[in-house]
Amino acid sequence: MYCHIGIRILALGQGARRMHVSAAFSAKAKVSMSRFEPSNHVNYQQLNENVNIVRKRLNRPLTLSEKIVYGHLDDPVGQDIARGRTYLRLRPDRVAMQDATAQMAMLQFISSGLPKVAVPSTIHCDHLIEAQIGGAKDLARAKDINAEVYNFLASAGAKYGVGFWKPGSGIIHQIILENYAYPGVLLIGTDSHTPNGGGLGSVCIGVGGADAVDVMAGIPWELKCPNVIGVKLTGKLSGWTSPKDVILKVAGILTVKGGTGAIVEYHGPGVDSISCTGMATICNMGAEIGATTSVFPYNHRMKTYLEKTGRGEIAALADEYADLLVPDQGCQYDSVIEINLDELKPHINGPFTPDLAHPISDIGTTAVKNGWPLEVKVGLIGSCTNSSYEDMGRSASVAKQALDKGLKCKAAFTITPGSEQIRATIERDGYAKILNDVGGMVLANACGPCIGQWDRRDVKKGEKNTIVTSYNRNFTARNDANPATHAFVASPEIVTALAIAGTLDFNPEVDYLIAANGEKFKLEPPNADELPKKDFDPGQDTYQHPPAEGGAKLKVEVSPTSTRLQLLDPFDKWNGGDLEDMQVLIKVKGKCTTDHISAAGPWLKFRGHLDNISNNMLIGAVNIENDGINKIKNQLTGEYGGVPDVARHYKANGLSWVVVGDDNYGEGSSREHAALEPRHLGGRAIIVKSFARIHETNLKKQGLLPLTFQDPADYDKIRPDDKISIKGLKTFAPGKVCENVTHSDGTKVEFQLNHTFNETQIEWFQAGSALNRMKELQ
């Protein structure tokens, strides 16, 4: 299990010329982290010093991800470092927030009482734009409907020193790749697909808003020291096989929880056949295997991308520190997966889970066997995962072949550009026209259908149908709120081919289409430029700088009668005793993602109003008592009601409650609302077989107890009408299990629960939340 270092040599570029350029930049004092923040500088020297300290302490070679993570330690000399065991205290370089999560993050930052953010931070308006009739009109409608929220975020950004990307700018992760990510940076973002930046050699980690507040407040950020999974790539991508197929294959191998607690680090000679934006695609969808993040080593593909996006100085500086930005020779991984790109075939994953992997040659047979609809109703390309210039070009390459034969898409077809820069450039270079002509509709530069922001009208709710997307996530009802929609995930070029053919069992590698003149023809593998031959067209200027004079005199208004925004009241502190006789609110059956706990789609409009959005708490979870959704028994009245309604009734009557769940509870989005809502409605503990990483941390941040069964079989012992007591909280300590007693029909069952709290996190619980604790320490 050793790192492959061949790509390091490729990363160094042309010898004499590289040395000359690097020397020229060395003569300059500093290189800015971005053009928007000229006074904040790339600090490879400090990163290198910290790495050398840690390497000497551990006395072993380091993986790339270890270099970047340990290089940002608050105390590289004294920090206890053990993969999978200790908590690291880190100093991230920057914070990024999308508008749906930024509302709560900024509300929490306002509650902290601090005057300005301590690190460069940005807000990106991409989640609140609903796909309906087309890009320009949808954007105008969103600006009108969401004016209150956009004004709040813009004014809060101005007051507290946060850059603001206006609606229409593009998807947060594409904007980060184009402007803020660079090799060696440590960035945290309030979105689970923040790891997209790993395509540019960054360690970018998705978190909840409370974690972002810590970093913005200048407090060291805690992360459990990740294990490192190595993925060794050999061979070369070719034909219909794309970077997306690498992560679709990995998802099939590791499953939705196989990367939990680990960073996935790609290496090997096959890396060099993948574009920078292709590497970003792979890292982006690493969120679907539960990974902390994913990362690629610095190479010439990244250098070219930096130069093409106006960051040649960073590229030259990265060349100087190239040894720092690749794994050490002889470093060891906790496990290794090997993928030969010469043998990798196009994949389609789904339905209903992103780890159900199928080679494209098998999907038709599998669909027929399982009764999945073969007709493709809609093909959707774009999203934060696959909306680069190269992605759009490869899709246009497929579409052009169909147009030349007199064909258009049989399925409906939508295109989501990743950013205003991508939209403007594909319009200039003709890709947008081709995609329109084949029957496509270009949507706004936003998340749109990928996150459920889709006013879909071609099928009725409950109607069984198939869609194919180039997105990352395909949970039940995620895209269109229809639980009968079978959503499959593939590369943009495969989605385009299937939209043209109109059927799921079409394999463009071997199958023929019928031209308008009746002739049979095969689509040729797509061919497109990695980056535009001309420079990118930046399009409209959509960035708002924080005022140079600071925002001390500015005010951020939140109306007390608003239905969209609500200032936060502190949660109550721990009362000093055990938690006795708490009612089981719901025993959840099977998969329970953050979409089940706090749905998106139409609920996004309440992301800044905790009480209103709490009305969606667990309305998508399956109740094991009756297999019902949003139908649980109120143990005080004997009547059945919605989950939030019963929770509110319990709270009003002074009855605390717990949720019992299955494996990988909280999989999916970073949305901390899935933790805020249970806390707000009177929840005290979430007891499950296992947690997804981000959700477990979010629960701790809000003063809840995320606990796991020491014996997973104990899940079966709990009945929906039980009451639960959690003992031992007066001596609550790291590593100590919590004893638990359930009461049912007068009988008692005892078993043990585990926790992963460290001393700092126990202080969060005792204070009532991490935000409360922050205020105590001021």
Side-chain angles (χ1 to χ4, degrees), residues 277 301 304-305 308 389-390 529-534 536:
T277 52
R301 298 273 198 170
T304 302
Y305 184 80
K308 205 72 174 179
Y389 183 82
E390 181 183 36
D529 291 332
E530 176 182 341
L531 294 164
K533 289 186 172 66
K534 305 175 188 177
F536 279 107

Side-chain angles (χ1 to χ4, degrees), residues 54 57 70 72-81 89-91:
V54 173
R57 281 183 54 203
Y70 303 163
H72 286 84
L73 286 170
D74 182 52
D75 178 14
V77 176
Q79 171 73 58
D80 187 14
I81 301 170
R89 291 167 62 81
L90 302 168
R91 292 285 185 179

Side-chain angles (χ1 to χ4, degrees), residues 544-562:
Q544 172 188 291
H545 288 268
E549 66 276 11
K553 296 180 181 179
L554 300 177
K555 288 187 177 181
V556 180
E557 300 290 346
V558 175
S559 168
T561 61
S562 173

Side-chain angles (χ1 to χ4, degrees), residues 234-239 241-246 270 273-275 282 341-342 344:
T234 60
K236 184 179 181 181
L237 287 176
S238 63
T241 306
S242 75
K244 184 65 163 277
D245 298 305
V246 176
S273 71
I274 305 173
S275 66
I282 294 168
L341 301 180
D342 290 334
L344 183 64

Side-chain angles (χ1 to χ4, degrees), residues 583 633-639 649-650 653 655 723:
Q583 183 67 55
K633 187 175 183 179
N634 185 324
Q635 301 299 331
L636 295 179
T637 67
E639 298 176 353
H649 187 257
Y650 288 166
N653 285 274
L655 179 60
K723 286 190 174 181

Side-chain angles (χ1 to χ4, degrees), residues 3 30 65 80 96 120 128 140 144 172 202 206 212 216 294 385 412 449 456 463 498 541 609 618 737 754:
C3 296
K30 294 175 180 176
S65 51
D80 187 14
L128 301 179
D144 179 51
I172 177 173
S202 312
M216 291 191 291
S294 303
T385 321
R456 188 181 182 192
E463 181 181 339
L498 294 179
D541 182 6
H609 196 293
L618 286 159
V737 295
N754 294 338

Side-chain angles (χ1 to χ4, degrees), residues 443-470:
L443 301 175
N445 312 322
C447 300
C450 183
I451 59 162
Q453 285 284 47
W454 184 15
D455 183 20
R456 188 181 182 192
R457 300 180 179 181
D458 63 303
V459 297
K460 295 179 181 178
K461 192 169 183 179
E463 181 181 339
K464 196 173 176 181
N465 74 102
T466 285
I467 65 173
V468 185
T469 82
S470 71

